[in-house]
Amino acid sequence: MEADLIDKLMRLAALRLEARERELLKDNLSKIVHLIDTMQSADTDGVEPLDHPLDGVQPLRPDHVTEVVDRNRFQEVAPEVRDGLYLVPRVVE
């Protein structure tokens, strides 16, 4: 990993690092790139993609309404309402 690439990454990430930290960053990034290269070289032809590595099933809880929202009561105290919607000042022009 070249020093100018480290400088560019530090500038993009708004980082200021000491010399020792820069060397550590350089070593860690080199290890990450090497790991990615190793993973890229694995033959995955014929391997189906997985959504999860385990065959577990996540049990779902029953979906029951536990409270009722009284929209009219809440909108009575709103500064401005129209057709059941809250009106707010425009903030983007």
Side-chain angles (χ1 to χ4, degrees):
M1 181 103 6
E2 298 175 18
D4 58 333
L5 180 59
I6 297 292
D7 291 338
K8 181 178 180 180
L9 290 173
M10 286 176 40
R11 201 170 42 256
L12 289 172
L15 291 175
R16 217 177 268 152
L17 299 176
E18 301 295 325
R20 189 178 71 67
E21 294 171 318
R22 288 172 58 96
E23 278 303 311
L24 185 60
L25 176 65
K26 179 180 172 184
D27 292 343
N28 286 338
L29 288 175
S30 293
K31 289 176 185 175
I32 291 169
V33 169
H34 177 69
L35 175 63
I36 292 170
D37 289 341
T38 302
M39 292 172 65
Q40 295 270 348
S41 69
D43 181 17
T44 57
D45 289 339
V47 176
E48 291 293 320
L50 299 173
D51 59 348
H52 196 280
L54 303 176
D55 289 332
V57 176
Q58 178 67 36
L60 301 176
R61 63 172 172 75
D63 193 11
H64 298 295
V65 176
T66 58
E67 60 186 68
V68 178
V69 176
D70 185 1
R71 179 189 289 186
N72 293 331
R73 192 177 107 226
F74 289 127
Q75 289 188 344
E76 285 175 0
V77 296
E80 202 171 346
V81 176
R82 183 175 50 213
D83 299 327
L85 302 173
Y86 296 94
L87 300 179
V88 297
R90 184 180 181 124
V91 292
V92 178
E93 295 186 34

